[in-house]
Amino acid sequence: MTTGPLPEGMLFIERGWLNANHLVIDAPEGPILIDTGHVQDQQFTLNRLRAAGVAPESLSLIVNTHIHPDHWGGNRRLVELSGAPIACGVRTAEAFARNDLRAMWAEYFGHDLYHDRSQPPLTADRIWQIGEVVQLGRYAFEILAAPGHAPDSIALWHEEHRILVSADALHDGDCGVLHVAIHGREIVSEALETARRFRSLNAAVAVPGHGPLILDVAGAIDRLEQRLLEFQQDPSKLARHLCGRVLMSSILAAQPVSLDDLCRLAADARWFDDYGHLLGSRDGAQLTRLMVNEFMERNLVRVDNGSLIANMSR
Ligand SMILES: [Zn+2]
């Protein structure tokens, strides 16, 4: 199996903005799966893997890049089917073990939209240290720390083919949201340092947690760095980025959802309390209506039978 710029035995499966992307790596004992999608879409994840020729029952290892539930929500079902062990970085393993709802941002979305508390994470079977080199099929990967978006996040670096599995530390010109209210403002500098470390690798291709495979890695890092510098200078830009992404994830998780229901969800969620003032209002319903209008103008969301539906894939 191969997809374009990735070498033989690596398969990239792009998902959406509620489910993290997958990277599948062939191994003699069975395929290795990096990141497993959102808990709400476990069945769809199985179907998606099967459609790509990957039997979920045959997995030999499950890897999670970080603690956010859109990256490990499929673990439980996949472990039931395959018995595969779970591997992750040491900080993610600690967060799994203590069912760290704060690190998962569980309370921030309201109504358990983002994380199903009845399904706590399984604990890790293999705990990787930063700097360790792990063999995934025929490819050796170095485990890198990639803090910023998630303090526990790892990236995986394969030197020979210059492949960087960047997860949410690098999307195409962007990264996952920076939750300074939970983790502190220093995570913006940490995200910048991570981006600069990524630049020094001179990767040929990056595998992001969301969005398409990145072929112009240097260009993507330049645009990310620019964005992060703006976040440092102007906290309202960081807040807009975060609130926009979180609201879009809420629509994806709840859709089809009426505007009134979405406003109620937003009022129940924590993120308006922490970031609304940076956007000029602490009124969650008012901000939700404003942002939904903007989504509709940008054709990101449509109204179908009186309910909102996102135009992007989950
Ligand atoms: Zn994330």
Side-chain angles (χ1 to χ4, degrees), residues 105 108 177-185 187 235-236 238-240 242-243 246 270-282 287:
W105 305 347
Y108 258 84
V177 298
L178 295 172
H179 219 328
V180 295
I182 284 192
H183 304 297
R185 283 212 60 83
I187 62 169
S236 75
L238 183 149
R240 266 185 83 77
L242 182 135
C243 291
V246 174
R270 287 268 311 279
W271 46 286
F272 274 120
D273 298 336
D274 287 328
Y275 297 98
H277 67 285
L278 292 165
L279 300 176
S281 174
R282 282 185 194 272
L287 272 173

CSV table of all heavy atoms in Angstrom, one decimal, residues 105 108 177-185 187 235-236 238-240 242-243 246 270-282 287:
chain,number,residue,atom,x,y,z
A,105,TRP,N,-9.6,18.6,27.6
A,105,TRP,CA,-10.4,19.8,27.4
A,105,TRP,C,-11.9,19.4,27.4
A,105,TRP,O,-12.8,20.0,26.8
A,105,TRP,CB,-10.2,20.4,26.0
A,105,TRP,CG,-8.8,20.9,25.8
A,105,TRP,CD1,-7.8,21.0,26.7
A,105,TRP,CD2,-8.2,21.3,24.5
A,105,TRP,NE1,-6.6,21.4,26.1
A,105,TRP,CE2,-6.8,21.6,24.8
A,105,TRP,CE3,-8.7,21.4,23.2
A,105,TRP,CZ2,-6.0,22.1,23.8
A,105,TRP,CZ3,-7.8,21.8,22.3
A,105,TRP,CH2,-6.5,22.2,22.5
A,108,TYR,N,-14.7,21.8,28.1
A,108,TYR,CA,-14.7,23.1,27.4
A,108,TYR,C,-15.8,23.1,26.3
A,108,TYR,O,-16.2,24.2,25.8
A,108,TYR,CB,-13.4,23.4,26.8
A,108,TYR,CG,-12.7,24.4,27.6
A,108,TYR,CD1,-12.0,24.1,28.7
A,108,TYR,CD2,-12.8,25.7,27.3
A,108,TYR,CE1,-11.4,25.0,29.5
A,108,TYR,CE2,-12.2,26.7,28.1
A,108,TYR,CZ,-11.5,26.3,29.2
A,108,TYR,OH,-10.9,27.3,30.0
A,177,VAL,N,-5.6,24.4,18.0
A,177,VAL,CA,-5.8,25.6,18.8
A,177,VAL,C,-4.9,25.6,20.0
A,177,VAL,O,-4.5,24.6,20.6
A,177,VAL,CB,-7.3,25.7,19.2
A,177,VAL,CG1,-8.2,25.8,18.0
A,177,VAL,CG2,-7.8,24.6,20.1
A,178,LEU,N,-4.6,26.8,20.5
A,178,LEU,CA,-3.8,27.0,21.6
A,178,LEU,C,-4.6,27.5,22.8
A,178,LEU,O,-5.1,28.6,22.9
A,178,LEU,CB,-2.7,28.1,21.3
A,178,LEU,CG,-1.7,27.6,20.2
A,178,LEU,CD1,-0.8,28.7,19.7
A,178,LEU,CD2,-1.0,26.4,20.6
A,179,HIS,N,-4.8,26.5,23.7
A,179,HIS,CA,-5.7,26.7,24.8
A,179,HIS,C,-5.0,27.4,26.0
A,179,HIS,O,-4.7,26.7,27.0
A,179,HIS,CB,-6.3,25.4,25.2
A,179,HIS,CG,-7.7,25.4,25.6
A,179,HIS,ND1,-8.3,26.5,26.1
A,179,HIS,CD2,-8.7,24.5,25.4
A,179,HIS,CE1,-9.6,26.2,26.3
A,179,HIS,NE2,-9.9,25.0,25.9
A,180,VAL,N,-4.7,28.7,25.9
A,180,VAL,CA,-3.9,29.3,26.9
A,180,VAL,C,-4.6,29.4,28.3
A,180,VAL,O,-4.0,29.5,29.3
A,180,VAL,CB,-3.5,30.8,26.4
A,180,VAL,CG1,-2.6,30.7,25.2
A,180,VAL,CG2,-4.7,31.6,26.1
A,181,ALA,N,-6.0,29.4,28.3
A,181,ALA,CA,-6.7,29.5,29.5
A,181,ALA,C,-6.4,28.2,30.4
A,181,ALA,O,-6.5,28.3,31.6
A,181,ALA,CB,-8.2,29.6,29.3
A,182,ILE,N,-6.2,27.1,29.8
A,182,ILE,CA,-5.8,25.9,30.5
A,182,ILE,C,-4.3,25.8,30.7
A,182,ILE,O,-3.9,25.5,31.8
A,182,ILE,CB,-6.4,24.6,29.8
A,182,ILE,CG1,-7.9,24.5,30.0
A,182,ILE,CG2,-5.7,23.4,30.3
A,182,ILE,CD1,-8.5,23.2,29.6
A,183,HIS,N,-3.6,26.0,29.7
A,183,HIS,CA,-2.2,25.6,29.7
A,183,HIS,C,-1.2,26.8,29.9
A,183,HIS,O,0.0,26.6,30.1
A,183,HIS,CB,-1.8,24.9,28.4
A,183,HIS,CG,-2.6,23.7,28.1
A,183,HIS,ND1,-2.6,22.6,29.0
A,183,HIS,CD2,-3.4,23.4,27.1
A,183,HIS,CE1,-3.4,21.7,28.4
A,183,HIS,NE2,-3.9,22.1,27.3
A,184,GLY,N,-1.8,28.0,29.9
A,184,GLY,CA,-0.9,29.2,30.1
A,184,GLY,C,-0.4,29.8,28.8
A,184,GLY,O,-0.3,29.1,27.8
A,185,ARG,N,-0.1,31.1,28.8
A,185,ARG,CA,0.3,31.8,27.6
A,185,ARG,C,1.6,31.3,27.0
A,185,ARG,O,2.0,31.5,25.8
A,185,ARG,CB,0.4,33.3,27.8
A,185,ARG,CG,-0.9,34.0,27.9
A,185,ARG,CD,-0.8,35.4,27.3
A,185,ARG,NE,-0.4,35.5,25.9
A,185,ARG,CZ,-1.2,35.3,24.9
A,185,ARG,NH1,-2.5,35.1,25.1
A,185,ARG,NH2,-0.7,35.4,23.7
A,187,ILE,N,2.4,28.5,26.1
A,187,ILE,CA,2.3,27.5,25.1
A,187,ILE,C,2.4,28.1,23.7
A,187,ILE,O,2.7,27.4,22.7
A,187,ILE,CB,1.0,26.6,25.2
A,187,ILE,CG1,-0.2,27.5,25.0
A,187,ILE,CG2,1.0,25.8,26.5
A,187,ILE,CD1,-1.5,26.7,24.9
A,235,PRO,N,-3.7,38.8,21.4
A,235,PRO,CA,-4.4,37.7,21.9
A,235,PRO,C,-5.8,37.5,21.3
A,235,PRO,O,-6.4,36.4,21.4
A,235,PRO,CB,-4.5,38.1,23.4
A,235,PRO,CG,-3.4,39.0,23.7
A,235,PRO,CD,-3.2,39.8,22.4
A,236,SER,N,-6.4,38.6,20.8
A,236,SER,CA,-7.7,38.5,20.2
A,236,SER,C,-7.7,37.6,19.0
A,236,SER,O,-8.6,36.9,18.6
A,236,SER,CB,-8.3,39.8,19.9
A,236,SER,OG,-7.8,40.4,18.7
A,238,LEU,N,-5.7,35.0,18.6
A,238,LEU,CA,-5.6,33.6,19.2
A,238,LEU,C,-7.0,33.2,19.6
A,238,LEU,O,-7.5,32.1,19.3
A,238,LEU,CB,-4.7,33.6,20.4
A,238,LEU,CG,-4.5,32.2,21.0
A,238,LEU,CD1,-3.1,32.1,21.6
A,238,LEU,CD2,-5.5,32.0,22.1
A,239,ALA,N,-7.8,34.1,20.2
A,239,ALA,CA,-9.1,33.8,20.7
A,239,ALA,C,-10.1,33.5,19.5
A,239,ALA,O,-10.9,32.6,19.6
A,239,ALA,CB,-9.7,34.9,21.6
A,240,ARG,N,-9.9,34.3,18.5
A,240,ARG,CA,-10.8,34.1,17.3
A,240,ARG,C,-10.5,32.7,16.7
A,240,ARG,O,-11.4,32.0,16.3
A,240,ARG,CB,-10.5,35.1,16.2
A,240,ARG,CG,-11.3,36.3,16.2
A,240,ARG,CD,-11.0,37.2,15.0
A,240,ARG,NE,-11.6,36.7,13.8
A,240,ARG,CZ,-12.9,37.0,13.5
A,240,ARG,NH1,-13.7,37.6,14.4
A,240,ARG,NH2,-13.5,36.6,12.4
A,242,LEU,N,-9.3,30.1,18.2
A,242,LEU,CA,-9.8,29.0,19.1
A,242,LEU,C,-11.3,28.9,19.1
A,242,LEU,O,-11.8,27.8,18.9
A,242,LEU,CB,-9.3,29.3,20.5
A,242,LEU,CG,-9.7,28.2,21.5
A,242,LEU,CD1,-8.5,27.8,22.4
A,242,LEU,CD2,-10.8,28.6,22.4
A,243,CYS,N,-12.0,30.1,19.2
A,243,CYS,CA,-13.4,30.0,19.3
A,243,CYS,C,-14.0,29.5,18.0
A,243,CYS,O,-15.0,28.8,17.9
A,243,CYS,CB,-14.0,31.4,19.6
A,243,CYS,SG,-13.6,31.9,21.3
A,246,VAL,N,-13.4,25.7,17.8
A,246,VAL,CA,-14.2,25.0,18.8
A,246,VAL,C,-15.7,25.0,18.4
A,246,VAL,O,-16.4,24.0,18.5
A,246,VAL,CB,-14.0,25.6,20.2
A,246,VAL,CG1,-15.0,24.9,21.2
A,246,VAL,CG2,-12.6,25.4,20.7
A,270,ARG,N,-17.4,26.2,28.4
A,270,ARG,CA,-16.5,27.1,29.2
A,270,ARG,C,-15.8,28.1,28.3
A,270,ARG,O,-15.3,29.1,28.8
A,270,ARG,CB,-15.5,26.2,29.9
A,270,ARG,CG,-16.0,25.5,31.1
A,270,ARG,CD,-15.9,26.3,32.4
A,270,ARG,NE,-14.5,26.8,32.6
A,270,ARG,CZ,-13.5,26.1,33.0
A,270,ARG,NH1,-13.7,24.9,33.4
A,270,ARG,NH2,-12.3,26.7,33.1
A,271,TRP,N,-15.6,27.8,27.1
A,271,TRP,CA,-14.7,28.6,26.3
A,271,TRP,C,-15.1,30.0,26.1
A,271,TRP,O,-14.2,30.9,26.0
A,271,TRP,CB,-14.3,27.9,24.9
A,271,TRP,CG,-15.5,27.4,24.2
A,271,TRP,CD1,-16.2,26.3,24.5
A,271,TRP,CD2,-16.1,28.0,23.0
A,271,TRP,NE1,-17.2,26.1,23.5
A,271,TRP,CE2,-17.2,27.2,22.6
A,271,TRP,CE3,-15.8,29.1,22.2
A,271,TRP,CZ2,-17.9,27.4,21.5
A,271,TRP,CZ3,-16.6,29.4,21.1
A,271,TRP,CH2,-17.6,28.5,20.8
A,272,PHE,N,-16.4,30.3,26.1
A,272,PHE,CA,-16.9,31.7,26.0
A,272,PHE,C,-16.5,32.5,27.2
A,272,PHE,O,-16.1,33.7,27.1
A,272,PHE,CB,-18.4,31.8,25.8
A,272,PHE,CG,-18.8,31.6,24.4
A,272,PHE,CD1,-19.6,30.6,24.0
A,272,PHE,CD2,-18.3,32.5,23.4
A,272,PHE,CE1,-19.9,30.5,22.6
A,272,PHE,CE2,-18.7,32.4,22.1
A,272,PHE,CZ,-19.5,31.4,21.7
A,273,ASP,N,-16.5,31.9,28.4
A,273,ASP,CA,-16.2,32.6,29.6
A,273,ASP,C,-14.7,33.0,29.6
A,273,ASP,O,-14.4,34.1,30.0
A,273,ASP,CB,-16.4,31.7,30.8
A,273,ASP,CG,-17.8,31.2,31.0
A,273,ASP,OD1,-18.7,32.0,30.5
A,273,ASP,OD2,-18.0,30.2,31.6
A,274,ASP,N,-13.9,32.2,29.0
A,274,ASP,CA,-12.4,32.4,29.0
A,274,ASP,C,-12.0,33.3,27.9
A,274,ASP,O,-11.0,34.0,28.0
A,274,ASP,CB,-11.6,31.1,29.0
A,274,ASP,CG,-11.7,30.4,30.4
A,274,ASP,OD1,-11.8,31.1,31.4
A,274,ASP,OD2,-11.7,29.2,30.4
A,275,TYR,N,-12.6,33.2,26.7
A,275,TYR,CA,-12.1,33.9,25.5
A,275,TYR,C,-13.1,35.0,25.0
A,275,TYR,O,-12.6,35.8,24.2
A,275,TYR,CB,-11.8,32.9,24.4
A,275,TYR,CG,-10.7,31.9,24.8
A,275,TYR,CD1,-11.1,30.6,25.3
A,275,TYR,CD2,-9.4,32.3,24.7
A,275,TYR,CE1,-10.1,29.8,25.7
A,275,TYR,CE2,-8.4,31.4,25.1
A,275,TYR,CZ,-8.7,30.1,25.6
A,275,TYR,OH,-7.8,29.2,26.0
A,276,GLY,N,-14.3,34.9,25.4
A,276,GLY,CA,-15.3,35.9,24.8
A,276,GLY,C,-14.9,37.3,25.0
A,276,GLY,O,-15.1,38.1,24.0
A,277,HIS,N,-14.3,37.7,26.1
A,277,HIS,CA,-14.0,39.1,26.4
A,277,HIS,C,-13.0,39.6,25.3
A,277,HIS,O,-12.9,40.7,25.0
A,277,HIS,CB,-13.5,39.3,27.8
A,277,HIS,CG,-12.2,38.7,28.1
A,277,HIS,ND1,-12.1,37.3,28.3
A,277,HIS,CD2,-11.0,39.2,28.2
A,277,HIS,CE1,-10.9,37.0,28.6
A,277,HIS,NE2,-10.1,38.1,28.5
A,278,LEU,N,-12.1,38.6,24.9
A,278,LEU,CA,-11.1,39.0,23.8
A,278,LEU,C,-11.7,39.3,22.5
A,278,LEU,O,-11.1,39.9,21.6
A,278,LEU,CB,-10.1,37.9,23.7
A,278,LEU,CG,-9.2,37.7,25.0
A,278,LEU,CD1,-8.4,36.4,24.9
A,278,LEU,CD2,-8.2,38.9,25.0
A,279,LEU,N,-13.0,38.8,22.3
A,279,LEU,CA,-13.7,39.0,21.1
A,279,LEU,C,-14.8,40.1,21.3
A,279,LEU,O,-15.6,40.3,20.4
A,279,LEU,CB,-14.4,37.7,20.6
A,279,LEU,CG,-13.4,36.5,20.4
A,279,LEU,CD1,-14.1,35.3,20.0
A,279,LEU,CD2,-12.4,36.9,19.3
A,280,GLY,N,-14.8,40.7,22.4
A,280,GLY,CA,-15.7,41.9,22.6
A,280,GLY,C,-17.0,41.5,23.3
A,280,GLY,O,-17.8,42.4,23.4
A,281,SER,N,-17.2,40.3,23.7
A,281,SER,CA,-18.5,39.9,24.3
A,281,SER,C,-18.3,38.7,25.2
A,281,SER,O,-17.6,37.7,24.8
A,281,SER,CB,-19.6,39.7,23.3
A,281,SER,OG,-20.7,39.3,23.9
A,282,ARG,N,-19.0,38.6,26.3
A,282,ARG,CA,-19.0,37.4,27.1
A,282,ARG,C,-20.4,36.7,26.9
A,282,ARG,O,-20.7,35.7,27.5
A,282,ARG,CB,-18.9,37.7,28.6
A,282,ARG,CG,-17.4,38.0,29.0
A,282,ARG,CD,-17.4,38.2,30.5
A,282,ARG,NE,-16.1,38.7,30.9
A,282,ARG,CZ,-15.0,38.0,31.1
A,282,ARG,NH1,-15.0,36.7,31.0
A,282,ARG,NH2,-13.9,38.6,31.5
A,287,LEU,N,-22.3,35.8,20.5
A,287,LEU,CA,-21.0,35.4,19.8
A,287,LEU,C,-21.3,34.3,18.8
A,287,LEU,O,-20.7,34.2,17.7
A,287,LEU,CB,-19.9,35.1,20.7
A,287,LEU,CG,-19.1,36.3,21.2
A,287,LEU,CD1,-18.1,35.8,22.3
A,287,LEU,CD2,-18.3,36.9,20.1
